[in-house]
Amino acid sequence: TFDRLSFDALRSGYPSLTPHGGLTGRIVTRGSLESLWLDADVTGDLGTIRALGTITAMDPRWAADSLDLTFSRVDLDALLGKGGSTALNGRMRLHGAIDSLVPPDGSVVMDLDRSRVGGLTFDQATLRLGAAAGTLQVDSAEVRWPEGQISGRGAIGWAVPDSGSLHLEAWAASLQPFDSLLRAATGIVRDTLAPRTLDGLARLAIDLHGSLDRAAVVARLDAEDVVLDQWRVGVLGADV
């Protein structure tokens, strides 16, 4: 048990450390870094995380043996130093290994309850992901909110020459939840004379073929009644 662990103070000696802020809570370990049993319950700027299972922390090899994570208010920006502001709530089960020298092998099962990514708040999200023989297999991936949904299924190679095909679909009966994400990504500043929140209807289909480091992308976007500040688009269709 510790009162407070400051990542910002540790960064002077470990500059590659990504978390920001600090943590309080309890961490119990047993074994070596090659097979380390972990029981942790911590909270801080990055959120609250409960972890139970066995891990391997032998850089560049990292592994988990039935590691169960329960978390709330997890902020990826505070944890990784990138990814934008989030508040993730849910559960994750990890089994497998990742090594910079070889493709990953294992599985990820994740279920999120009501959470937020940037300005988008969604009701639930699920992910069933497997990795074997140089291929990432997305058995199912889905994000739902009251006026939209994103789903995906298929496989894609980790790196050439391994390859696969992954299909993603998204639809939204209102684009308002994406207003802040769009402005942050494009740098569009809200119009002070005629401010209008992004809105409209849209459907997007994306097909990825190949591997993560060399993927061919085929996409189709259809949108109607799109508004943003003084901009208006009645009907929009585009192929990429």
Side-chain angles (χ1 to χ4, degrees), residues 21-220:
L23 280 179
T24 61
R26 173 183 59 84
I27 298 178
V28 179
T29 62
R30 185 170 62 244
S32 66
L33 292 178
E34 187 174 1
S35 181
L36 187 68
W37 180 79
L38 173 68
D39 182 356
D41 191 350
V42 297
T43 188
D45 299 87
L46 54 76
T48 297
I49 300 176
R50 176 83 169 90
L52 183 64
T54 302
I55 64 172
T56 298
M58 300 285 288
D59 192 17
R61 177 177 169 81
W62 303 87
D65 184 2
S66 301
L67 177 64
D68 289 314
L69 302 173
T70 303
F71 47 87
S72 61
R73 303 181 296 102
V74 166
D75 184 354
L76 292 181
D77 189 59
L79 179 63
L80 304 175
K82 59 182 178 180
S85 171
T86 66
L88 304 180
N89 307 289
R91 299 152 301 283
M92 184 183 298
R93 186 174 180 84
L94 303 173
H95 184 86
I98 186 168
D99 190 317
S100 61
L101 303 178
V102 296
D105 184 273
S107 62
V108 177
V109 175
M110 182 176 69
D111 294 285
L112 297 182
D113 303 319
R114 186 174 178 84
S115 299
R116 177 184 57 80
V117 175
L120 174 62
T121 297
F122 53 87
D123 293 329
Q124 65 179 42
T126 60
L127 174 66
R128 303 293 184 268
L129 175 68
T135 300
L136 298 181
Q137 179 70 43
V138 181
D139 294 322
S140 64
E142 190 172 81
V143 180
R144 290 178 176 268
W145 63 99
E147 297 180 302
Q149 177 180 323
I150 302 172
S151 61
R153 185 182 297 272
I156 193 163
W158 179 254
V160 292
D162 297 311
S163 65
S165 296
L166 178 63
H167 180 71
L168 304 171
E169 285 191 1
W171 65 267
S174 171
L175 296 176
Q176 289 187 8
F178 299 96
D179 180 79
S180 61
L181 292 175
L182 176 68
R183 294 182 189 275
T186 61
I188 297 176
V189 179
R190 186 175 299 276
D191 194 311
T192 56
L193 298 178
R196 286 288 302 274
T197 301
L198 175 68
D199 205 355
L201 296 81
R203 181 176 294 274
L204 176 66
I206 302 176
D207 286 289
L208 302 175
H209 305 280
S211 60
L212 291 177
D213 61 345
R214 190 177 297 176
V217 181
V218 178
R220 172 69 187 182

